C-alpha cells in the first residue's frame, strides 16, 4: 500500500513538473500564427544569404580563388533536400529543421575549436545566435500546431550535417571541409525558407500539393520570382 502511494506521489510530482515546464515554455511564445510564420520566413531568408557566414569564412581562410570556390560544394545527402522537406507534414518538417539546426550548431562549435581556434570570426558567433533564435520560433510554432491531426513521419535519412575534422585531414582539406559544410547549411536554409513561403501562400490547407494547388503552381512561382531579392545588412535576426 505504501509503495503504491509512493508511486502515485512520484507520478503526481512528475506531471506537475511537466505542467510547469509547459507553462514556462508557453510564456516565451507570443503572437498569432501568421506573425510567427512571418518571422520564420525572414529568418530563413537572411540565413540563406552566404554573405552572413560563408563569404566571411572564405575570405578568412584564404579560399577566395575560382578553383577553390569551385571545390566548395555541398556534400550530397549531408542536408535534407528541398523536395524531401516539401514532402513532410508541418510537424515533421519542424521536427526535421530543428534537429538539423541542432547538428549545425555542433558543427559550428567543431569548426570554431578545431580550425579557427583562437582566431576571431564574429559572423560565426552571430550565426550561432541566429540559429538559436530560429529554433526558439520553431518551438513556438510546434506548440501552435500541437493540436493538429497530422502524423509525424520519418525524417529524410542520410549522413547528416556533421562536420568531422579528423587528424587525417591536412589544414587545406580541413578548411575546404568547413567551406562545404557552410555551403550546405546556406542551401538548406534556402529550402527551409521556400517551404515556409508555401505555408504562407496556403495557410488554411495542407502543405502537400493537391491537384487544385498544382493548377496554380505556375502563378505562385511567378509571384515569388517577381519579388526579387533585396540585399540585407549583416547582423542579428529579428525574433
Amino acid at each position: 500500500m505504501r509503495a503504491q502511494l509512493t508511486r502515485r506521489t512520484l507520478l503526481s510530482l512528475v506531471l506537475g513538473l511537466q505542467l510547469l515546464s509547459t507553462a514556462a515554455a508557453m510564456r516565451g511564445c507570443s503572437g498569432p500564427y501568421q506573425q510567427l510564420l512571418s518571422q520564420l520566413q525572414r529568418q530563413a531568408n537572411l540565413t540563406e544569404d552566404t554573405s552572413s557566414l560563408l563569404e566571411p569564412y572564405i575570405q578568412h581562410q584564404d579560399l577566395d580563388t575560382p578553383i577553390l570556390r569551385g571545390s566548395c560544394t555541398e556534400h550530397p545527402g549531408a542536408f535534407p533536400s528541398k523536395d524531401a522537406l516539401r514532402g513532410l507534414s508541418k510537424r515533421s518538417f519542424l521536427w526535421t529543421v530543428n534537429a538539423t539546426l541542432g547538428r549545425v550548431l555542433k558543427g559550428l562549435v567543431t569548426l570554431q575549436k578545431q580550425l579557427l581556434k583562437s582566431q576571431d570570426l564574429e559572423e560565426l558567433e552571430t550565426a550561432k545566435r541566429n540559429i538559436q533564435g530560429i529554433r526558439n520560433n520553431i518551438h513556438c510554432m510546434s506548440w501552435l500546431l500541437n493540436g493538429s491531426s497530422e502524423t509525424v513521419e520519418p525524417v529524410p535519412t542520410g549522413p547528416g550535417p556533421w562536420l568531422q575534422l579528423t587528424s587525417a585531414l591536412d589544414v587545406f582539406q580541413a578548411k575546404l571541409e568547413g567551406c562545404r559544410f557552410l555551403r550546405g547549411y546556406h542551401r538548406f536554409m534556402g529550402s527551409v525558407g521556400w517551404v515556409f513561403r508555401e505555408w504562407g501562400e496556403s495557410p488554411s490547407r495542407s502543405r502537400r500539393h493537391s491537384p487544385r494547388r498544382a493548377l496554380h503552381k505556375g502563378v505562385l512561382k511567378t509571384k515569388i520570382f517577381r519579388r526579387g531579392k533585396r540585399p540585407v545588412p549583416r547582423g542579428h535576426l529579428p525574433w
Side-chain angles (χ1 to χ4, degrees), residues 19-170:
L19 289 174
L20 288 174
S21 177
T22 299
M26 288 301 294
R27 280 197 297 270
C29 299
S30 60
Y33 171 88
Q34 288 298 332
Q35 179 181 339
L36 187 57
L37 178 60
S38 178
Q39 289 180 0
L40 284 166
Q41 289 171 344
R42 290 196 301 270
Q43 289 173 321
N45 291 340
L46 290 175
T47 49
E48 174 191 7
D49 187 358
T50 57
S51 68
S52 65
L53 184 55
L54 176 61
E55 287 300 326
Y57 175 85
I58 289 176
Q59 299 294 331
H60 193 276
Q61 298 297 314
D62 297 323
L63 299 175
D64 191 15
T65 69
I67 294 178
L68 295 180
R69 282 182 174 272
S71 301
C72 181
T73 57
E74 175 185 350
H75 280 294
F79 291 84
S81 67
K82 181 173 72 175
D83 288 340
L85 293 173
R86 294 180 70 205
L88 296 172
S89 67
K90 287 187 176 182
R91 290 173 61 196
S92 295
F93 170 76
L94 292 174
W95 193 96
T96 301
V97 174
N98 184 63
T100 302
L101 289 180
R103 293 193 290 270
V104 169
L105 283 175
K106 292 181 179 179
L108 294 180
V109 171
T110 300
L111 190 67
Q112 189 173 34
K113 288 182 177 179
Q114 298 188 27
L115 190 57
L116 298 175
K117 297 181 180 179
S118 61
Q119 302 174 33
D120 183 33
L121 187 60
E122 181 181 353
E123 290 83 357
L124 190 143
E125 288 297 329
T126 300
K128 288 161 63 176
R129 290 191 293 268
N130 289 340
I131 289 173
Q132 190 57 56
I134 295 173
R135 297 185 77 194
N136 289 341
N137 277 341
I138 286 176
H139 172 77
C140 292
M141 180 64 79
S142 297
W143 278 112
L144 289 178
L145 299 177
N146 194 38
S148 173
S149 60
E150 292 179 336
T151 57
V152 178
E153 303 151 358
V155 297
T157 57
W162 294 104
L163 179 63
Q164 299 181 359
L165 303 179
T166 64
S167 57
L169 297 177
D170 59 30

Side-chain angles (χ1 to χ4, degrees), residues 141-235:
M141 180 64 79
S142 297
W143 278 112
L144 289 178
L145 299 177
N146 194 38
S148 173
S149 60
E150 292 179 336
T151 57
V152 178
E153 303 151 358
V155 297
T157 57
W162 294 104
L163 179 63
Q164 299 181 359
L165 303 179
T166 64
S167 57
L169 297 177
D170 59 30
V171 175
F172 169 74
Q173 289 176 319
K175 289 182 177 182
L176 192 57
E177 282 300 304
C179 190
R180 300 183 72 179
F181 168 76
L182 295 180
R183 177 76 69 183
Y185 158 65
H186 286 298
R187 194 280 309 160
F188 171 73
M189 292 310 301
S191 300
V192 170
W194 183 282
V195 174
F196 278 134
R197 286 194 296 273
E198 287 187 327
W199 287 21
E201 292 161 6
S202 185
S204 61
R205 296 162 56 186
S206 171
R207 253 193 335 97
R208 296 182 178 279
H209 294 282
S210 65
R212 181 180 175 186
R213 179 180 175 83
L215 292 175
H216 298 281
K217 187 177 181 181
V219 177
L220 294 177
K221 282 189 175 181
T222 301
K223 290 181 179 179
I224 292 173
F225 288 113
R226 282 180 179 175
R227 293 173 187 168
K229 188 173 183 180
R230 298 179 180 177
V232 294
R234 298 181 188 174

